[in-house]
Amino acid sequence: MNEQKKKKREKENGAKKHMGLCSSSPVRPGVPESVNGIDGSLLTPEFASKYKCTKKEPLGQGSFATVWQVEDVKDKKEWAVKVIDKSKCSKEELKDILWEAEALKIVQHDYVTKMKEFIDGDHFIYIVMEIMRGGELFDRIVERGFYSEAMARDAVRTMCIGLDHCHKNGVIHLDMKPENVLYADTSEESALKLCDFGIAKRCPPDGFLLGDGQLHGTPGYISPEMIRKEKYDGKTDVWAIGVITYILLGGVPPFDEPPDLVDTPEGQLEL
């Protein structure tokens, strides 16, 4: 009798393994690992009732987040979803993620990437965003070498309108650069939108943030007032737009980066 039970159990485990449902790694209750190559986080009830994955390979992957292409089960429209594994995030990282989602709700605009939905599940956080298929502004600069004055004018105008909306709603981006500006599609007339509000900060439209001694942003785009540890406001984003404008027209950054000290206040002052 025991031998029969043993054989039955082995047969069941073999079937589960074949389906991708069995593994030596621990499985959290209610969270399947994978089915047919699809990550188990996309199969949890809170997400699977609204969306289904349309590609087996992720669009991108980081230390605690993976981006997938999904389809709304109701209207069949495609979206990108960033799936964040809570178990791999610190409390501070989770706090930043929640603020980024809040910021995206605040700054909804035609020139800002749209967040469709935010789902805070037991084990995962889902941020459903529009798919931007045209790539980064950075990639087009590399491809072209530089922009004509007319093209640069249109791109800068779009960025400024988007930023102005953010600032009027009390949000400073703090990481404006060509990598954080995306094209909706590959056409020449494609819409251009701001993205990545991961280090954005809340600031009253007519107020300032006190310098905390930290450099917020990417070397080469950080404003002088932040480097000097002075109070700053939305104009720090405008400085970054000036750097982007220079790159669009000239094809090269306006400043040479000191190789060793670039990530320190001293290096930024030299820059």
Side-chain angles (χ1 to χ4, degrees):
M1 185 70 176
N2 291 335
E3 187 65 28
Q4 288 179 340
K5 287 183 178 179
K6 183 179 179 182
K7 288 183 179 179
K8 183 179 179 182
R9 190 179 302 113
E10 289 176 349
K11 185 176 180 181
E12 289 174 347
N13 288 339
K16 288 179 179 179
K17 186 174 182 181
H18 177 71
M19 293 172 66
L21 296 173
C22 186
S23 136
S24 58
S25 58
V27 179
R28 284 169 284 178
V31 182
E33 286 190 24
S34 66
V35 171
N36 296 327
I38 303 302
D39 189 283
S41 63
L42 301 178
L43 304 171
T44 55
E46 64 265 36
F47 187 80
S49 63
K50 297 182 177 182
Y51 304 94
K52 70 175 182 178
C53 189
T54 55
K55 288 190 176 181
K56 292 185 178 181
E57 295 298 324
L59 300 176
Q61 195 159 10
S63 57
F64 55 76
T66 305
V67 181
W68 298 87
Q69 181 172 311
V70 298
E71 181 183 270
D72 189 310
V73 297
K74 289 184 178 179
D75 61 17
K76 307 303 180 183
K77 187 175 180 180
E78 289 187 330
W79 299 87
V81 58
K82 181 191 287 187
V83 183
I84 297 142
D85 190 335
K86 288 184 174 181
S87 69
K88 297 179 181 179
C89 298
S90 66
K91 288 184 178 180
E92 193 62 32
E93 287 170 334
L94 283 174
K95 183 180 177 181
D96 291 341
I97 291 164
L98 293 173
W99 159 242
E100 180 180 5
E102 179 64 24
L104 286 168
K105 290 179 183 177
I106 294 171
V107 300
Q108 292 186 61
H109 190 270
D110 289 343
Y111 296 154
V112 177
T113 50
K114 178 182 178 181
M115 182 180 73
K116 178 179 184 286
E117 188 172 10
F118 176 84
I119 303 173
D120 191 355
D122 293 335
H123 303 287
F124 302 96
I125 290 173
Y126 305 89
I127 302 178
V128 183
M129 304 284 297
E130 65 178 315
I131 295 181
M132 302 294 288
R133 302 183 185 279
E136 302 171 356
L137 174 61
F138 176 83
D139 294 329
R140 295 211 184 183
I141 296 172
V142 172
E143 181 183 333
R144 298 175 184 275
F146 60 89
Y147 275 38
S148 69
E149 288 190 16
M151 292 171 61
R153 175 201 64 207
D154 293 342
V156 171
R157 178 178 179 274
T158 296
M159 288 185 280
C160 286
I161 292 174
L163 272 180
D164 182 58
H165 173 77
C166 295
H167 294 168
K168 285 179 178 177
N169 284 276
V171 175
I172 304 176
H173 190 283
L174 289 181
D175 199 19
M176 285 301 305
K177 56 184 177 180
E179 292 91 331
N180 286 340
V181 185
L182 303 178
Y183 282 97
D185 56 58
T186 56
S187 70
E188 292 291 332
E189 301 78 24
S190 171
L192 197 60
K193 302 191 180 189
L194 313 183
C195 72
D196 196 349
F197 285 74
I199 67 169
K201 287 189 177 293
R202 192 189 299 273
C203 180
D206 298 321
F208 290 88
L209 292 173
L210 296 178
D212 57 7
Q214 302 296 317
L215 299 179
H216 301 282
T218 300
Y221 299 89
I222 299 173
S223 65
E225 57 267 32
M226 185 181 292
I227 296 170
R228 293 194 293 261
K229 303 179 184 178
E230 299 171 352
K231 64 181 182 180
Y232 60 90
D233 59 5
K235 294 183 180 66
T236 194
D237 286 338
V238 178
W239 170 273
I241 290 291
V243 176
I244 295 173
T245 304
Y246 188 101
I247 294 172
L248 285 173
L249 293 171
V252 294
F255 311 113
D256 293 325
E257 295 187 6
D260 298 324
L261 298 174
V262 71
D263 290 325
T264 67
E266 294 79 11
Q268 285 293 317
L269 282 171
E270 183 181 338
L271 184 64

